[in-house]
Amino acid sequence: MPRDSVDKPAHIEDKLFINGEFVPSISGKKFEILDPTTDEVAASVYEAGVEDVDRAVEAAENAFPAWSELPASERAAYMLKLADALEDVVPEIGYMDAVTMGKPYVGSPVTHHSIQNLRYLAGQARDVFGETSLSTPGKLALSLRQPFGVCAAIIPWNGPLMMLINKVGAALVAGNTLVLKSSEKAPFTALIVARLCKQIGLPPGVLNILSGYGTSCGEALAKHMRVRRISFTGSVATGKLIQKASAESNLKKVALELGGKNPMLVFDDADVTLAARGATMATLINTGQGCILTTRIYVHSKIVDGFVEELKKGVAAAGEPGDPLVPGTRRGPQADQTQLRRVVGLIEDGRRNNYDIALGGKGRIGDKGCYVEPTIFVNVPEDAKVMREEVFGPVVCVTTFTDEADVIRRANDTEFGLYASVFTKDLSRAVRVAKAFEAGLVGVNCTSPAGLSEDLAFGGWKQSGSGRENGRRAVEAWTEEKSIMISL
Ligand code: NAD
């Protein structure tokens, strides 16, 4: 089926969204986003600079008093309207994600999941409570939860709607106003959301959307003296810069959702087919570009041969990657040339070091676009680059173990601590291992992203981040606590 059988949106918004209006950047500068399938320009967009950050923060500041004074149920009602409006633009979001970061167009479950999450967050509007105490004689002690004021959000490209909803939904329901910077690789989904905010009549300035680069627009937000909280999702390296910028400016509160190098342990009593299916999915989904995807797989030596065979079959069955705009394509290219170089570099490093390859190993496929051959390394030493660094591509390492304590030590021997999974039929062992993992999220007999739901808090241990999104306290996380003592 030709790619032009999918309708291109009639209008692609390219301006910044500040104070409820689409406006060009003050500099008038634009930047281009290349389609990772064709290497051609997909679209261009206005680039926000430091002055645009100032305008957006000012708009958010002006909007804050009225927005924070609305009944929480009214703020939630706006989010529910936004969720309904998003249902109508799923194909448009699919199109823009496909031509910017290569995500397959059809039926993205993640888009629907994000819309549901927005409704879930709206549902928390009346569920944010302080505390009371009468333990001091003659005093009533109580605490309130109040919004921070103007907040900022910076998101990556690998899940443009999901990352946005996690932050926008919770921040706005809590009563904050927000300036969000999208990723320079995939800015259009955020601009579609901006259009819908205008359509549903969200008060001007409550949500402001900037397209721009990290080192200019992103840094200006992270350093801004009038931003009180920043929530960041992206790499560990950038997370550290955000933390530093906050420390060097106004010590704004920082929440970080960062990378992972996620282990999966498959014991000798495990359902090997189930485990291999999970590993296959983790290798291929979003072309391996997910923070919680499994990349280090430890399999008991008694069952490793059968596991590798099933994993190979599963990955090979997915066939060649294709054009994400062609209906039916399950796997597209990497998001851009930078991602391509990074993944190919790690595969080449593995080849140079003569690590065993069970499948793939070629690196780049073809000479157009950012396509990579899925690769399974086996018996890779623990200190190999591909075992230590986040790949963010369809590359996994399988290695063996015989002893439970030893494999837990190896699984935890990383600075990352985002996701970990264990496959076993022994319930005691499953709980023991889940408890021993140094990770914020754990799967038992399932692996990323199965088993994650918006009801559960999402976030990392160690250098994978600080703070939590989703879960019962997602909205509360966007509030400050105030303690009040009343003399009786
Ligand atoms: P990145 O860190 O390169 O960029 C993320 C965002 O930060 C972008 O919007 C970018 O413009 C901005 N940025 C870059 N430099 C900045 C600076 N100096 N100051 C302020 N902002 C700056 O990450 P990426 O390549 O977009 O995304 C991939 C990374 O995100 C991976 O490490 C992945 O694991 C992580 N990620 C984590 C989660 C999670 O929930 N834990 C979810 C998705 C992705």
Side-chain angles (χ1 to χ4, degrees):
M1 192 167 319
R3 74 177 341 219
D4 59 11
S5 64
V6 173
D7 285 342
K8 187 174 174 176
H11 171 69
I12 297 176
E13 185 53 63
D14 62 357
K15 298 199 178 67
L16 314 176
F17 184 65
I18 299 178
N19 205 26
E21 297 297 334
F22 285 103
V23 292
S25 57
I26 288 176
S27 70
K29 274 203 287 190
K30 291 179 93 172
F31 64 95
E32 293 175 337
I33 293 92
L34 297 185
D35 183 332
T37 303
T38 62
D39 298 331
E40 286 162 15
V41 175
S44 61
V45 71
Y46 280 95
E47 178 191 339
V50 176
E51 307 91 335
D52 301 301
V53 170
D54 285 338
R55 309 197 261 172
V57 169
E58 192 180 327
E61 225 165 33
N62 292 337
F64 176 70
W67 180 250
S68 57
E69 285 301 319
L70 277 185
S73 57
E74 283 185 36
R75 292 195 296 266
Y78 280 110
M79 294 303 104
L80 293 173
K81 273 195 216 162
L82 180 60
D84 289 348
L86 276 164
E87 300 278 8
D88 296 333
V89 296
V90 171
E92 192 181 339
I93 289 176
Y95 183 96
M96 293 318 299
D97 286 354
V99 299
T100 53
M101 45 76 70
K103 184 181 272 195
Y105 170 76
V106 179
S108 170
V110 175
T111 306
H112 294 289
H113 177 84
S114 304
I115 297 171
Q116 290 305 354
N117 194 26
L118 184 55
R119 297 190 172 113
Y120 172 75
L121 293 168
Q124 289 186 16
R126 297 181 120 148
D127 215 7
V128 178
F129 294 104
E131 288 167 3
T132 54
S133 162
L134 286 169
S135 65
T136 306
K139 302 277 193 284
L140 168 63
L142 56 92
S143 71
L144 307 180
R145 309 278 342 184
Q146 291 178 273
F148 285 87
V150 177
C151 296
I154 299 181
I155 56 173
W157 47 268
N158 67 323
L161 184 66
M162 182 165 66
M163 304 301 151
L164 178 146
I165 294 292
N166 291 349
K167 297 187 193 306
V168 170
L172 265 50
V173 168
N176 302 284
T177 53
L178 193 68
V179 181
L180 177 135
K181 187 194 93 61
S182 55
S183 166
E184 60 276 28
K185 293 183 191 172
F188 296 102
T189 292
L191 294 174
I192 295 170
V193 172
R195 190 185 79 221
L196 300 181
C197 287
K198 213 170 150 61
Q199 182 183 310
I200 63 162
L202 187 76
V206 169
L207 177 63
N208 305 275
I209 305 269
L210 303 177
S211 315
Y213 289 103
T215 45
S216 47
C217 175
E219 199 180 299
L221 268 177
K223 282 187 172 159
H224 208 289
M225 291 300 289
R226 303 207 307 273
V227 169
R228 294 297 162 200
R229 183 181 200 254
I230 185 164
S231 173
F232 171 78
T233 300
S235 62
V236 171
T238 311
K240 289 183 179 179
L241 293 176
I242 304 269
Q243 187 86 273
K244 187 161 174 255
S246 162
E248 288 174 357
S249 56
N250 62 346
L251 267 184
K252 57 181 67 60
K253 304 294 184 293
V254 178
L256 301 171
E257 296 283 349
L258 308 177
K261 188 71 195 170
N262 311 310
M264 169 177 171
L265 275 46
V266 188
F267 283 87
D268 53 356
D269 64 344
D271 178 336
V272 173
T273 302
L274 182 73
R277 211 184 304 138
T280 303
M281 187 271 296
T283 310
L284 298 176
I285 197 166
N286 216 15
T287 326
Q289 303 171 130
C291 56
I292 56 166
L293 299 182
T294 293
T295 51
R296 294 184 291 142
I297 306 174
Y298 297 90
V299 186
H300 196 283
S301 57
K302 273 194 206 153
I303 56 161
V304 69
D305 291 344
F307 175 88
V308 171
E309 272 319 299
E310 290 213 37
L311 176 59
K312 272 167 64 177
K313 261 195 234 144
V315 173
E320 293 293 306
D323 183 335
L325 267 189
V326 171
T329 297
R330 310 295 311 164
R331 186 161 59 87
Q334 305 311 119
D336 70 352
Q337 291 289 336
T338 310
Q339 283 303 121
L340 177 71
R341 276 195 297 275
R342 171 192 180 77
V343 179
V344 169
L346 283 164
I347 295 173
E348 279 171 357
D349 182 76
R351 275 209 316 258
R352 256 196 314 277
N353 283 290
N354 294 319
Y355 301 145
D356 294 341
I357 294 174
L359 187 83
K362 268 208 289 281
R364 186 175 185 190
I365 311 175
D367 51 12
K368 194 172 76 165
C370 304
Y371 288 92
V372 169
E373 187 184 35
T375 295
I376 304 170
F377 284 107
V378 287
N379 302 319
V380 187
E382 290 289 341
D383 62 355
K385 254 180 140 180
V386 70
M387 278 288 275
R388 310 239 30 115
E389 292 183 15
E390 192 177 32
V391 183
F392 237 53
V395 179
V396 289
C397 300
V398 181
T399 185
T400 58
F401 73 92
T402 49
D403 176 68
E404 182 180 313
D406 174 59
V407 75
I408 289 172
R409 183 192 55 74
R410 287 158 68 196
N412 285 337
D413 181 20
T414 167
E415 277 302 304
F416 293 105
L418 190 58
Y419 188 84
S421 57
V422 54
F423 285 75
T424 177
K425 289 184 185 137
D426 177 339
L427 182 62
S428 304
R429 175 153 59 199
V431 174
R432 204 163 56 231
V433 174
K435 184 170 169 237
F437 277 141
E438 295 168 359
L441 307 153
V442 170
V444 174
N445 292 325
C446 63
T447 190
S448 43
L452 282 180
S453 88
E454 62 267 17
D455 300 336
L456 290 173
F458 187 106
W461 284 23
K462 303 198 278 191
Q463 292 197 33
S464 288
S466 57
R468 292 291 179 271
E469 287 185 337
N470 296 341
R472 229 164 37 80
R473 288 188 290 276
V475 171
E476 186 187 291
W478 285 86
T479 61
E480 276 279 33
E481 189 165 17
K482 180 182 285 169
S483 301
I484 301 180
M485 184 68 92
I486 301 175
S487 200
L488 301 175

